[in-house]
């Protein structure tokens, strides 16, 4: 005899420690046991008599829970044990043979048939020969409904929606027939009253009127508007009840943010000691969305002031033109510099995920290092490519970052020196089994020039310090002149491998090895250092404390390194 069971039970596989019921399943199946426990739920009884009055309910729920996972011939044996004031139900379930799927027919009709929108993955959910699972049957129906809503098939309907179970034969058939109806499209985007120009707002919309409906595009518009920096409140809706024919209008409610913000920050590292930073931003100046800002950073060895003016381009979210000016003074051991730079850069986030910056700056740098000193004036075109991906948050479990920086100058073209400089860096992070964390870093750099003595310190390479080769002071690794003072190098090689173990939540012990140097010849020796450390994932980000020692120069002794900031 065949029986129809429409919309049977959703499976809840939640492990719950039951108070008052002990469930045993034969043959042992954890998923069935956990589903029975979830169906029964908490059981409370003040006496054995109270518990016995609940046996029928417990028996019924256990039967339904087993059927939800395809076991229609299960048998329950219940008995009450335990003391009078703390009774216990011992429930023994003999599963018997399961019901298996026989014929699975899922057919999508209408304009959406065969499209990517309705690639449902039926085989992974309901394959012939599998044990019947009502939860998976419901999941398939939910998947159909969700796809229809996401892709705008708002008139979709079921012609058939059946799950037929033949308990005696131990077989079940699935028969679903769904007609998608027409696919709606996205209409014109209407913004609430705002001081921004219609042209600027239109360039932020990632679709045109008439684009086939996709709820992800509506969500992207919401996300892009929030990330633009212009608004502190955004609500994007596509009300179906206002559709004109098969086109759904898009309504956007926006609230501008306060145009001005002032920020203060600080930190400490063994590289530059204590430092403070102040920033001012005017997030929008006019209806075209122009912005500007300034920042100042102060520490004992370094002081810098910079300002910018930014103009949004064709896509204000991903594309902008930034003009900048900056002044910096640096005095670190044997190196003293004063530099002034003015220029512009075009920044664009590419569809591939890379952030590209093409720039041109005029830089003048007055410097003194070792026996070299002078003034360098350079017109420098540059290209910077960056990409980063992580699992998110201030303490990601995995991720990577990539950096490529290429720049140069031509003597005689507003420049006093010829050079080409390339710098690349790769960082990686991976967490294994929750508390085993591995980090790696490799940085390579090179400067090509026919007059290295005229290259200013900001374009030479130095190694050593918290973010380079630990076990050495900041920028203490490089070639030296006749007086023994560091003067910077043509090449940089810096690498690190680190292992961290989380022994208490948010606290990790670390061990590492760093390898590299700043050299004038690729045949020059590289330095190796090792160390141990402690990591604290604070509310403001990771804080690192390291004790390192050079294996190449043991006379240097131990070095303590302290730093803050992201690891990628």
């Amino acid at each position: 005899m065949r029986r129809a069971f429409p919309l049977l039970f959703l499976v809840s596989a939640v492990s719950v420690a039951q108070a008052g019921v002990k469930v045993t399943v034969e043959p042992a199946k954890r998923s069935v046991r956990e589903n029975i426990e979830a169906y029964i739920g908490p059981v409370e009884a003040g006496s054995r008599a109270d518990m016995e009055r609940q046996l029928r309910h417990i028996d019924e729920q256990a039967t339904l829970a087993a059927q939800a996972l395809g076991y229609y011939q299960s048998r329950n044996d219940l008995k009450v044990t335990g003391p009078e004031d703390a009774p216990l139900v011992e429930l023994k379930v003999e599963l018997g043979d399961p019901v298996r799927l026989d014929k699975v027919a899922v057919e999508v009709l209408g304009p959406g048939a065969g499209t990517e929108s309705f690639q449902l993955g039926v085989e992974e959910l309901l394959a012939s020969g599998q044990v019947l699972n009502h939860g998976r049957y419901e999941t398939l129906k939910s998947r159909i409904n969700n796809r229809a809503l996401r892709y705008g098939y708002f008139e979709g309907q079921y012609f058939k929606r059946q799950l037929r179970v033949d308990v005696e034969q131990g077989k079940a058939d699935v028969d679903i027939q769904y007609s998608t109806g027409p696919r709606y499209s996205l209409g014109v985007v209407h913004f609430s009253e705002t001081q921004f120009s219609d042209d600027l707002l239109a360039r932020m919309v990632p679709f045109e009127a008439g684009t086939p409906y996709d709820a992800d595009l509506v969500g992207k518009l919401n996300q892009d508007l929030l990330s633009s920096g212009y608004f502190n409140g955004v609500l994007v809706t596509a009300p179906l009840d206002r559709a004109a024919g098969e086109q759904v209008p898009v309504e956007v409610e926006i609230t501008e943010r306060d145009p001005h913000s002032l920020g203060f920050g600080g930190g400490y590292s063994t590289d530059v000691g204590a430092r403070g930073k102040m920033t001012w931003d005017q997030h929008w100046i006019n209806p075209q969305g122009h912005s500007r800002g300034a920042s100042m950073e102060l520490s004992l060895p370094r002081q810098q002031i910079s300002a910018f003016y930014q103009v949004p381009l064709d896509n204000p979210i991903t594309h902008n033109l930034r003009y900048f000016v900056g002044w910096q003074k640096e005095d670190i051991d044997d190196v003293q510099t004063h530099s002034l730079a003015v220029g512009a850069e075009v920044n664009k986030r590419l569809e591939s995920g890379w952030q590209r910056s093409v720039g041109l700056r005029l830089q003048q740098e007055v410097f003194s290092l070792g026996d070299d000193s002078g003034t360098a004036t350079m017109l420098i075109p540059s290209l910077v490519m960056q990409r980063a991906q992580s699992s998110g948050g201030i303490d990601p479990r995995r991720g990577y970052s990539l950096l490529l920086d290429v720049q140069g100058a031509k003597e005689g073209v507003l420049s006093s020196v010829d050079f080409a400089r390339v710098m690349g860096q790769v960082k990686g992070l991976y967490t294994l089994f929750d508390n085993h964390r591995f980090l790696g870093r490799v940085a390579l750099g090179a400067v090509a020039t026919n007059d290295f003595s005229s290259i200013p310190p900001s374009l030479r390479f130095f190694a050593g310090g918290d973010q380079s080769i630990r076990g050495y002071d900041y920028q203490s690794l490089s070639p030296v002149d006749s007086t023994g003072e560091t003067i910077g190098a043509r090449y940089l090689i810096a690498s690190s491998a680190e292992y961290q173990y989380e022994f208490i939540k948010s606290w990790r012990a670390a061990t590492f090895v760093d390898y590299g140097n700043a050299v004038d010849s690729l045949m020059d020796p590289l330095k190796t250092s090792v160390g141990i450390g402690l990591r604290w994932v604070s509310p403001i980000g990771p804080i690192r404390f390291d004790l390192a020692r050079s294996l190449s120069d043991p006379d240097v002794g131990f070095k303590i390194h302290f730093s803050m900031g992201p690891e990628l």
Side-chain angles (χ1 to χ4, degrees):
M1 177 181 179
R2 289 182 175 267
R3 290 181 286 172
F5 294 85
L7 295 175
L8 260 176
F9 329 101
L10 288 174
V11 178
S12 175
V14 179
S15 179
V16 180
Q18 294 294 327
V21 178
K22 179 182 178 182
V23 180
T24 303
V25 175
E26 294 183 1
K29 284 194 175 296
R30 180 178 176 180
S31 59
V32 178
R33 176 179 58 80
E34 290 179 347
N35 208 47
I36 291 173
E37 291 174 345
Y39 265 61
I40 294 173
V43 175
E44 297 180 359
S47 65
R48 291 171 65 94
D50 288 342
M51 184 65 84
E52 288 172 352
R53 282 191 287 269
Q54 299 185 59
L55 290 181
R56 181 178 177 180
H57 172 74
I58 294 172
D59 185 29
E60 291 174 349
Q61 294 302 109
T63 298
L64 292 174
Q67 289 178 354
L69 294 179
Y71 292 92
Y72 277 78
Q73 300 186 33
S74 64
R75 296 178 181 177
N76 305 326
D77 182 23
L78 299 89
K79 62 180 179 180
V80 179
T81 62
E84 176 67 23
D85 58 348
L88 175 69
V89 172
E90 293 185 1
L91 169 60
K92 181 179 178 181
V93 181
E94 294 183 4
L95 294 178
D97 294 330
V99 171
R100 295 184 179 274
L101 292 171
D102 186 20
K103 298 177 182 178
V104 178
V106 179
E107 186 178 12
V108 177
L109 306 174
T115 65
E116 186 177 352
S117 304
F118 285 94
Q119 297 300 313
L120 302 171
V122 175
E123 285 296 319
E124 69 183 34
L125 289 175
L126 302 172
S128 181
Q130 286 182 348
V131 174
L132 171 63
N133 185 314
H134 287 274
R136 292 187 175 186
Y137 172 71
E138 297 296 331
T139 295
L140 177 60
K141 292 191 296 180
S142 295
R143 188 173 292 180
I144 292 172
N145 296 334
N146 292 339
R147 295 291 179 87
L149 290 175
R150 173 183 168 178
Y151 293 108
Y153 294 94
F154 298 121
E155 297 179 17
Q157 58 181 320
Y158 288 95
F159 290 160
K160 294 181 182 179
R161 185 170 42 181
Q162 295 178 330
L163 171 61
R164 297 185 295 272
V165 179
D166 188 332
V167 177
E168 295 177 358
Q169 295 293 322
K171 296 179 180 180
D173 296 334
V174 173
D175 193 358
I176 294 177
Q177 193 176 71
Y178 182 82
S179 177
T180 67
R183 184 177 185 181
Y184 281 53
S185 62
L186 292 166
V188 176
V189 179
H190 302 282
F191 288 88
S192 62
E193 185 175 349
T194 175
Q195 64 93 36
F196 292 106
S197 70
D198 292 340
D199 176 65
L200 176 69
L201 296 173
R203 299 201 321 264
M204 295 187 192
V205 179
F207 55 85
E208 297 180 355
T211 298
Y213 187 97
D214 188 337
D216 282 2
L217 289 175
V218 178
K220 186 177 188 305
L221 174 59
N222 199 107
Q223 182 180 358
D224 285 353
L225 291 172
L226 282 173
S227 66
S228 69
Y230 298 135
F231 312 107
N232 64 7
V234 176
L235 177 62
V236 181
T237 59
L240 184 59
D241 58 351
R242 299 184 188 176
E246 294 171 2
Q247 193 169 83
V248 184
V250 179
E251 307 287 344
V252 182
E253 292 287 336
I254 50 178
T255 306
E256 294 94 352
R257 68 180 299 177
D258 190 324
H260 298 277
S261 66
L262 191 63
F264 299 90
Y268 179 87
S269 71
T270 48
D271 283 352
V272 298
R275 64 182 184 274
K277 186 174 184 179
M278 180 176 69
T279 60
W280 166 76
D281 288 284
Q282 187 173 2
H283 305 286
W284 47 270
I285 300 171
N286 52 34
Q288 289 71 44
H290 295 196
S291 59
R292 61 188 173 188
S295 65
M296 177 174 63
E297 185 171 343
L298 300 175
S299 65
L300 286 178
R302 181 189 299 141
Q303 304 86 46
Q304 61 183 21
I305 300 174
S306 63
F308 73 88
Y309 188 95
Q310 184 167 297
V311 179
L313 297 180
D314 57 339
N315 185 334
I317 308 300
T318 62
H319 200 186
N320 64 71
L321 169 62
R322 174 176 287 214
Y323 302 96
F324 62 85
V325 60
W327 172 87
Q328 178 173 294
K329 176 183 178 183
E330 189 172 78
D331 186 352
I332 298 177
D333 294 333
D334 308 325
V335 181
Q336 296 85 39
T337 65
H338 294 75
S339 67
L340 178 66
V342 59
E345 59 187 18
V346 177
N347 303 299
K348 186 172 185 179
R349 187 173 71 242
L350 307 179
E351 292 184 2
S352 61
W354 285 90
Q355 182 76 30
R356 183 186 68 197
S357 177
V358 179
L360 181 67
R361 73 182 186 273
L362 181 63
Q363 179 173 325
Q364 185 177 72
E365 188 166 338
V366 180
F367 63 92
S368 173
L369 70 169
D371 294 333
D372 292 335
S373 64
T375 300
T377 302
M378 300 159 290
L379 181 65
I380 304 175
S382 63
L383 170 65
V384 178
M385 300 289 292
Q386 299 181 76
R387 182 172 183 174
Q389 184 173 326
S390 71
S391 55
I394 62 174
D395 184 39
R397 291 177 51 83
R398 60 187 177 276
Y400 66 86
S401 65
L402 308 171
L403 169 68
L404 175 65
D405 184 349
V406 181
Q407 52 188 306
K410 176 63 177 175
E411 185 178 5
V413 185
L414 294 180
S415 301
S416 58
V417 62
D418 274 328
F419 81 91
R421 184 181 189 272
V422 179
M423 166 77 176
Q425 181 171 267
V426 178
K427 294 181 179 179
L429 162 67
Y430 189 77
T431 302
L432 187 65
F433 302 128
D434 294 334
N435 53 0
H436 298 276
R437 189 177 178 91
F438 300 89
L439 295 96
R441 168 177 49 86
V442 176
L444 302 172
V447 176
T449 180
N450 56 7
D451 184 10
F452 190 73
S453 63
S454 298
I455 299 296
S458 64
L459 297 172
R460 303 186 186 191
F461 293 109
F462 298 83
D466 303 339
Q467 307 301 317
S468 181
I469 310 299
R470 288 164 285 190
Y472 293 91
D473 290 332
Y474 180 55
Q475 294 193 356
S476 64
L477 289 178
S478 87
V480 298
D481 63 7
S482 58
T483 65
E485 296 183 342
T486 56
I487 58 173
R490 294 174 180 265
Y491 303 104
L492 172 70
I493 302 173
S495 62
S496 177
E498 180 169 318
Y499 165 72
Q500 299 176 3
Y501 176 74
E502 187 174 47
F503 58 93
I504 299 176
K505 183 175 175 55
S506 299
W507 288 89
R508 301 187 180 106
T511 182
F512 57 85
V513 56
D514 293 347
Y515 180 68
N517 203 351
V519 295
D520 277 339
S521 170
L522 296 178
M523 302 304 293
D524 290 345
L526 303 182
K527 306 292 186 179
T528 302
S529 63
V530 297
I532 57 175
L534 187 65
R535 309 286 182 263
W536 175 43
V537 185
S538 75
I540 59 173
I543 296 176
R544 297 178 289 276
F545 175 86
D546 290 320
L547 181 65
R549 182 169 186 174
S550 169
L551 298 182
S552 304
D553 301 300
D555 293 342
V556 172
F558 288 95
K559 295 292 182 181
I560 295 175
H561 299 276
F562 179 84
S563 60
M564 303 171 61
E567 293 174 314
L568 289 178

